[in-house]
Amino acid sequence: PFVISAGIELLWIYNITTFLKSFKMDKYDVFLTVLGPIVGFVSKIYNGFLSDFSMKRLPRVMYLLVANSLQTLLLFVCIFTADSLTVLVMATIFLYNANGANMSLTPSVIGDCFGVKHFGQTYGWAQPGYAIIGWILQAILGLLYEREITDPNSTNCYGKKCFKWTFLLVTLLSLVAVILNSIFLYRQVHRMRVRQIIMRESQSVENPSVSAVNNIRREHNPRFNDITDYQALGASEEPQVNETRLNTY
């Protein structure tokens, strides 16, 4: 979801002045190009702070889901009323807000969902991924924009028709990102519930072993893999599982 959502936001960031020119609102160029980064800066701060404050009750993915849902809503509205200054301002605010949330929370979400063993590789692939998506969307926007130019002596297109199909495409892609975020949220909530059960049941056993914890895990979700990463560390026997270790899983 990060790759798709961030790619869409990249498209908006690079083309906001093109939208304004097409809708003959050039005088608002400075306003929107300054407003966007300010919103993104504030978004990174409050999304990071709130997610840290509520991480024991709400997974970080929840904040990404809310931000991407609002982004999708505004992109959908742009299909029909993109030539409205109010809609462009709201879309800029919500897309920059989603971009700030994605950039600040995605590293933590990747660590929560896939662990930290291969974090560098996983996050490293995500970074060029959204740039590639943004480049592809930029090429599509250019093709659709030029197709709507009716004057053979002009290189400019004016009106909603210039971006109608582009907004439709990015709305559908943003919806896909929302669906993927929902799946991640479900998995995270389920993990939190199982972890709470493990903590509660293991507290009745003094210094529970890894095998004991695995048995508890299998009772509540057979799909969970056993905790065996201690073997990769060269340990000759199972370590004792403390509260900090359980929170990792």
Side-chain angles (χ1 to χ4, degrees):
F2 166 76
V3 172
I4 299 173
S5 182
I8 294 171
E9 293 145 15
L10 198 63
L11 178 74
W12 186 275
I13 292 170
Y14 286 164
N15 290 280
I16 182 61
T17 54
T18 304
F19 300 150
L20 291 170
K21 182 178 181 179
S22 181
F23 302 142
K24 299 181 179 180
M25 300 179 185
D26 307 57
K27 62 181 179 180
Y28 298 107
D29 281 1
V30 175
F31 171 63
L32 285 186
T33 53
V34 171
L35 174 66
I38 293 175
V39 172
F41 172 75
V42 175
S43 173
K44 291 176 182 179
I45 294 176
Y46 82 75
N47 276 295
F49 175 78
L50 289 178
S51 66
D52 286 344
F53 180 75
S54 62
M55 62 181 300
K56 292 185 177 181
R57 296 181 297 275
L58 292 174
R60 299 182 197 273
V61 185
M62 173 66 76
Y63 294 91
L64 293 179
L65 178 60
V66 172
N68 289 333
S69 297
L70 292 173
Q71 168 183 287
T72 304
L73 176 62
L74 264 297
L75 288 172
F76 176 75
V77 173
C78 284
I79 298 174
F80 308 100
T81 59
D83 56 345
S84 166
L85 178 62
T86 301
V87 171
L88 286 177
V89 170
M90 294 300 295
T92 299
I93 291 173
F94 283 119
L95 266 80
Y96 269 92
N97 173 69
N99 184 256
N102 278 315
M103 293 301 175
S104 62
L105 299 182
T106 295
S108 298
V109 171
I110 290 177
D112 292 342
C113 293
F114 304 105
V116 297
K117 184 176 182 180
H118 302 291
F119 172 80
Q121 297 180 30
T122 306
Y123 189 58
W125 278 109
Q127 288 295 309
Y130 85 86
I132 293 173
I133 293 294
W135 177 79
I136 294 174
L137 291 176
Q138 181 66 44
I140 294 174
L141 181 147
L143 290 173
L144 295 175
Y145 178 88
E146 293 175 355
R147 193 182 70 170
E148 297 296 335
I149 298 176
T150 56
D151 185 355
N153 298 319
S154 175
T155 58
N156 297 320
C157 178
Y158 297 97
K160 293 185 295 184
K161 63 178 182 179
C162 305
F163 308 105
K164 179 178 66 175
W165 295 108
T166 300
F167 285 138
L168 176 61
L169 173 62
V170 295
T171 298
L172 294 175
L173 288 176
S174 189
L175 181 61
V176 171
V178 169
I179 294 172
L180 293 175
N181 269 323
S182 300
I183 294 173
F184 274 119
L185 177 61
Y186 171 78
R187 292 181 60 186
Q188 287 294 92
V189 170
H190 186 70
R191 286 181 179 180
M192 290 176 66
R193 290 176 178 174
V194 172
R195 187 169 59 195
Q196 291 172 357
I197 294 174
I198 293 173
M199 287 296 303
R200 185 168 58 251
E201 296 190 8
S202 62
Q203 285 175 354
S204 60
V205 181
E206 184 177 356
N207 293 326
S209 66
V210 172
S211 297
V213 173
N214 283 333
N215 290 333
I216 298 174
R217 287 159 63 91
R218 280 191 292 267
E219 287 179 7
H220 299 285
N221 193 334
R223 294 182 300 173
F224 272 135
N225 295 321
D226 289 348
I227 304 174
T228 57
D229 60 315
Y230 68 91
Q231 296 173 348
L233 300 177
S236 58
E237 59 182 9
E238 295 178 353
Q240 299 301 310
V241 180
N242 56 30
E243 183 174 343
T244 302
R245 180 179 176 81
L246 283 171
N247 285 333
T248 305
Y249 297 95

